């Protein structure tokens, strides 16, 4: 058990006052299942090894921007991970913009959620670009838009903007970098699709049926606002001073679970099914493949995000024309034949 008086606390309180703690300059203690961070971040993870194999020696391999972090279990519900220290990013090269898009494609394809600003690290280590999630509580959720990942703050979000792409909003600041980011995203989605069945089989071989994956039924910030009605299973956790925490596993498909006491797991009886994303791992026939339509939806959202975010800095809609963006009476014509992209982006999309 970690002595909380000798540590630096961060993050929200969950499951009877537990929270993430930095216990020294090199180690972070996390009072939850560490499987997902081990899967994506640990150098010994067979999943990381297989992704490396897929991308071979490509400089656009997203794993290159995911600095390996050793992950250690203490118990089934707690463990440790290395502290990641980086230098700041001053600017991105064209290749690095492509790599950043590849990273976003990797996270999106793998169904990572809760990718808000605080859960992503952008920096440099020994000159190399680092762009990676540093807090992963589940993978392979069924996401349909970039809003679902929290890379972009949803339009109906009842709190300040915290989308993870804010890390890049000052760096993807011209047409060439924007083009490379989109090309990197699409390249990675399609390459992972080509290996979908193998990735699917590998994850099932590694994943234990009782391994929890977190289920988020509403944005955490909404619990701090206290201006909406909550389900009874949320309210009981709020009343004890916790931010509500729900989870499931392959043994309890269709059920949502929570800790009703420190050692007792109970089933959620309220109908909250409309509020969360079904995890793809619950569907053993699901092969993780993306549709062309979903790729285009994400692409349109990313384009709109960066054009809007940088409107004050450099993007004047009357001067946006370039080799892949053209102003039309209907909106912005987006044409990237090398990525199979050809659509009109309307300003309010």
């Amino acid at each position: 058990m970690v002595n909380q008086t000798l540590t630096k606390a961060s993050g929200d309180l969950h499951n009877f006052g537990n929270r993430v703690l930095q216990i020294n300059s090199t180690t972070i203690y996390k009072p939850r299942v560490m499987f997902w961070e081990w899967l994506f971040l640990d150098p010994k993870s067979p999943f990381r090894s297989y992704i490396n194999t897929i991308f071979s020696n490509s400089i656009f391999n997203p794993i290159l921007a995911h600095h390996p972090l050793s992950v250690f279990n203490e118990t089934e519900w707690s463990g440790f991970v290395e502290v990641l220290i980086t230098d700041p990013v001053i600017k991105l090269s064209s290749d690095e913009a492509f790599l950043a898009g590849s990273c976003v494609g990797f996270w999106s394809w793998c169904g990572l959620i809760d990718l808000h600003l605080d859960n992503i690290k952008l920096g440099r280590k020994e000159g190399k670009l680092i762009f990676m999630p540093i807090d992963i509580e589940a993978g392979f959720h069924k996401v349909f838009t970039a809003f679902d990942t929290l890379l972009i703050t949803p339009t109906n979000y009842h709190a300040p903007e915290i989308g993870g792409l804010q890390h890049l909003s000052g760096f993807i600041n011209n047409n060439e970098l924007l083009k490379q980011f989109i090309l990197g995203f699409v390249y990675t989605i399609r390459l992972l699709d080509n290996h979908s069945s193998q990735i699917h089989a590998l994850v099932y071989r590694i994943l234990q049926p009782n391994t929890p994956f977190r289920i988020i039924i509403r944005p955490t910030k909404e619990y701090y606002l206290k201006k909406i009605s909550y389900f009874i299973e949320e309210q009981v956790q709020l009343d004890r001073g916790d931010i509500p925490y729900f989870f499931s596993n392959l043994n309890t498909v269709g059920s949502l679970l929570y800790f009703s006491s420190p050692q007792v797991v109970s089933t959620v009886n309220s109908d909250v099914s409309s509020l969360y994303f079904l995890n793809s791992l619950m569907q053993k026939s699901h092969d993780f493949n993306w549709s062309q339509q979903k790729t285009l939806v994400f692409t349109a959202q990313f384009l709109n995000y960066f054009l809007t975010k940088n409107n004050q800095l450099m993007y004047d809609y009357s001067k946006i024309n370039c080799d892949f963006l053209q102003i039309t009476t209907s909106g912005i014509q987006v044409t990237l034949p090398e990525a199979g992209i050809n659509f009109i982006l309307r300003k309010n999309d």
Side-chain angles (χ1 to χ4, degrees):
M1 184 67 178
V2 173
N3 184 343
Q4 298 198 24
T5 65
L6 303 177
T7 59
K8 177 182 176 182
S10 65
D12 304 307
L13 293 174
H14 297 297
N15 301 330
F16 294 89
N18 289 301
R19 74 191 315 172
V20 173
L21 303 166
Q22 183 170 336
I23 59 176
N24 56 44
S25 62
T26 62
T27 308
I28 294 173
Y29 168 76
K30 296 192 176 185
R32 56 168 173 74
V33 171
M34 301 299 294
F35 171 81
W36 300 102
E37 281 168 17
W38 171 82
L39 188 72
F40 283 88
L41 304 181
D42 193 280
K44 297 179 181 178
S45 163
F47 175 72
R48 274 181 69 104
S49 297
Y50 186 69
I51 298 299
N52 268 324
T53 300
I54 291 174
F55 284 87
S56 187
N57 294 319
S58 170
I59 63 171
F60 304 123
N61 177 359
I63 296 299
L64 295 176
H66 289 62
H67 184 74
L69 296 177
S70 295
V71 179
F72 307 95
N73 283 326
E74 179 189 47
T75 69
E76 180 186 8
W77 275 93
S78 64
F80 303 90
V81 63
E82 287 182 82
V83 173
L84 176 60
I85 300 173
T86 62
D87 298 320
V89 171
I90 306 302
K91 65 178 182 178
L92 295 181
S93 68
S94 179
D95 283 350
E96 288 174 336
F98 192 107
L99 179 59
S102 180
C103 291
V104 169
F106 176 53
W107 310 334
S108 302
W109 192 91
C110 289
L112 299 187
I113 61 172
D114 207 30
L115 294 173
H116 59 73
L117 195 63
D118 294 337
N119 282 348
I120 294 174
K121 185 79 167 180
L122 175 69
R124 291 195 183 278
K125 202 164 184 68
E126 298 177 353
K128 185 180 72 172
L129 181 69
I130 300 297
F131 190 41
M132 59 186 280
I134 54 173
D135 195 82
I136 307 172
E137 298 189 62
F140 304 100
H141 283 286
K142 292 185 72 174
V143 296
F144 300 97
T145 73
F147 294 143
D148 300 338
T149 65
L150 210 53
L151 283 165
I152 300 175
T153 308
T155 53
N156 62 348
Y157 202 67
H158 302 299
E161 182 178 355
I162 61 168
L165 278 191
Q166 285 187 77
H167 280 294
L168 295 178
S169 62
F171 299 108
I172 305 295
N173 56 10
N174 63 53
N175 289 335
E176 177 58 24
L177 295 182
L178 180 56
K179 177 181 179 179
Q180 293 305 316
F181 176 87
I182 296 299
L183 288 174
F185 171 78
V186 176
Y187 161 79
T188 298
I189 292 292
R190 293 189 174 157
L191 187 55
L192 293 173
D193 264 353
N194 289 339
H195 295 82
S196 175
S197 59
Q198 296 94 325
I199 295 173
H200 182 266
L202 174 63
V203 172
Y204 269 109
R205 285 200 304 271
I206 301 171
L207 181 65
Q208 297 298 311
N210 64 343
T211 300
F213 38 83
R214 187 179 179 187
I215 303 291
I216 298 173
I217 70 171
R218 72 173 83 244
T220 298
K221 295 296 183 184
E222 292 191 3
Y223 292 122
Y224 288 103
L225 294 176
K226 299 181 179 179
K227 294 179 180 179
I228 57 178
S229 297
Y230 303 108
F231 292 101
I232 187 171
E233 293 86 355
E234 294 176 292
Q235 192 62 57
V236 70
Q237 295 182 70
L238 289 167
D239 289 346
R240 69 192 189 208
D242 286 335
I243 294 300
Y245 190 100
F246 301 101
F247 59 96
S248 188
N249 58 50
L250 296 183
N251 281 333
T252 57
V253 173
S255 295
L256 203 58
L257 308 173
Y258 72 105
F259 281 96
S260 56
S261 74
Q263 303 299 326
V264 177
V265 173
S266 298
T267 301
V268 173
N269 292 317
S270 301
D271 183 9
V272 299
S273 58
S274 63
L275 295 180
Y276 66 89
F277 308 114
L278 182 66
N279 194 291
S280 296
L281 295 169
M282 295 179 179
Q283 300 173 287
K284 293 192 175 182
S285 61
H286 186 73
D287 62 4
F288 301 165
N289 273 89
W290 273 43
S291 66
Q292 173 69 359
Q293 179 61 31
K294 184 158 69 169
T295 303
L296 292 177
V297 167
F298 273 70
T299 298
Q301 288 185 294
F302 294 149
L303 284 168
N304 190 60
Y305 175 82
F306 286 116
L307 294 174
T308 302
K309 288 295 291 186
N310 291 290
N311 197 37
Q312 299 297 320
L313 299 176
M314 62 157 295
Y315 276 110
D316 180 341
Y317 272 75
S318 66
K319 300 177 181 178
I320 203 171
N321 292 338
C322 65
D323 63 333
F324 82 108
L325 300 174
Q326 294 292 322
I327 296 291
T328 72
T329 56
S330 301
I332 302 172
Q333 177 68 45
V334 183
T335 307
L336 283 169
E338 59 267 61
I341 289 176
N342 186 355
F343 66 89
I344 292 177
L345 176 68
R346 294 171 177 81
K347 194 167 183 179
N348 295 323
D349 283 353

